[in-house]
């Protein structure tokens, strides 16, 4: 199943990428400089948006099938990038060694958000930032949230342990980040239960 997901991932996202995700990735990454860490980098859909000048790019991906695709894409688009086999909760990087952590569509998949966010905070330099783009729980009391709750157990299996009802903005605050920018916008071109998204920039407090 994991192999199949890795195979189909780019195709499954292609409509959404064209309708919004690609533009959001570009906007979030355009000013990234220094040491950039893309956690749970998947098949490398952020690669073409990371500036090539004044950047050192580290990509982590714990899933073997995703990582194989990531390694191939990085070899073509960003041959100097380092690809590491590591989960967000245990990064093989020193404290305060990263300028920009990139987290796109990953905090729905980590087993628990708090240990992952603590680790991202650990590797960020003072003044560093976390750029994020995540699908989240719909508004409290909404029909969509009720649907997300109904579908979540099935989706968890279909989409490789992807949670639908996480309050990721609150998790960022609880993990000691401040939200410098936060934008909520429905993701277009995908299934409705993943449409509520947040994106922005967080900094360690
Ligand atoms: C929906 S994909 C997103 C991929 C990519 N970041 C993107 O924006 O297209 C979720 C990714 O998170 C990865 N992942 C799952 N658990 C993880 C963990 N504990 N730490 C880091 N990445 C994880 C998965 O292997 C998968 O590649």
């Amino acid at each position: 199943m994991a192999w199949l997901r890795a195979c189909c991932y780019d195709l499954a996202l292609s409509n959404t990428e064209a309708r919004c995700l690609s533009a959001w990735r570009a906007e979030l990454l355009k000013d990234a400089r220094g040491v950039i860490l893309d956690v749970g980098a998947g098949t490398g859909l952020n690669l073409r948006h990371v500036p090539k000048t004044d950047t050192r790019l580290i990509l982590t991906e714990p899933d073997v099938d995703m990582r194989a695709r990531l390694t191939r894409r990085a070899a073509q688009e960003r041959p100097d990038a380092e690809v590491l086999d590591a989960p967000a909760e245990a990064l093989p990087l020193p404290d305060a060694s990263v300028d920009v952590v990139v987290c796109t569509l990953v905090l729905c998949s980590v087993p628990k958000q708090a240990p992952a966010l603590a680790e991202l905070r650990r590797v960020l330099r003072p003044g560093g930032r976390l750029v994020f783009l995540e699908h989240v729980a719909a508004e409290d009391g909404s029909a969509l949230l009720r649907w997300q709750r109904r579908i979540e157990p099935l989706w968890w299996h279909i989409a490789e342990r992807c949670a639908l009802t996480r309050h990721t903005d609150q998790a960022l605050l609880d993990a000691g980040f401040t939200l410098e920018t936060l934008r909520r916008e429905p993701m277009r071109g995908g299934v409705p239960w993943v449409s509520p998204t947040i994106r922005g920039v967080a900094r360690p407090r």
Side-chain angles (χ1 to χ4, degrees):
M1 192 68 177
W3 174 83
L4 187 62
R5 188 182 74 132
C7 258
C8 300
Y9 185 76
D10 289 2
L11 182 63
L13 253 70
S14 56
N15 190 33
T16 321
E17 287 292 331
R19 293 190 60 186
C20 57
L21 280 181
S22 185
W24 293 351
R25 294 177 194 275
E27 174 215 328
L28 283 171
L29 292 169
K30 66 179 192 311
D31 298 326
R33 294 292 182 277
V35 179
I36 301 172
L37 168 68
D38 187 355
V39 289
T43 60
L45 289 172
N46 285 329
L47 272 172
R48 69 190 177 97
H49 303 294
V50 176
K52 291 200 166 53
T53 50
D54 301 328
T55 56
R56 173 184 161 207
L57 180 59
I58 304 169
L59 308 159
T60 68
E61 175 50 58
D63 178 88
V64 65
D65 299 298
M66 290 296 231
R67 197 169 59 253
R69 281 168 173 72
L70 178 65
T71 304
R72 282 204 291 278
R73 181 173 268 157
Q76 289 182 341
E77 296 184 19
R78 188 66 200 247
D80 62 325
E82 297 153 64
V83 180
L84 305 177
D85 171 9
E89 299 82 354
L91 297 167
L93 298 171
D95 294 356
S97 59
V98 171
D99 296 291
V100 182
V101 171
V102 180
C103 210
T104 57
L105 309 177
V106 171
L107 293 171
C108 54
S109 294
V110 297
K112 286 188 176 163
Q113 291 185 320
L117 288 170
E119 184 68 345
L120 302 185
R121 199 167 184 273
R122 178 186 71 78
V123 300
L124 269 177
R125 286 201 174 117
R129 62 198 154 120
L130 167 65
V131 299
F132 60 90
L133 160 58
E134 296 289 339
H135 69 81
V136 293
E139 209 174 309
D140 279 348
S142 65
L144 183 52
L145 180 60
R146 286 195 292 281
W147 269 106
Q148 286 180 319
R149 287 191 178 130
R150 269 183 218 131
I151 291 164
E152 192 160 42
L154 178 63
W155 188 252
W156 180 263
H157 292 289
I158 294 173
E160 290 286 319
R161 299 179 295 279
C162 171
L164 293 173
T165 55
R166 289 186 170 173
H167 296 276
T168 301
D169 45 342
Q170 186 59 49
L172 284 162
L173 295 171
D174 293 346
F177 288 91
T178 56
L179 300 176
E180 190 173 285
T181 64
L182 174 68
R183 181 142 188 202
R184 292 176 196 278
E185 195 172 336
M187 185 151 68
R188 297 180 292 279
V191 289
W193 48 90
V194 295
S195 67
T197 71
I198 57 168
R199 65 182 192 273
V201 176
R203 291 190 191 267
R205 273 202 292 275

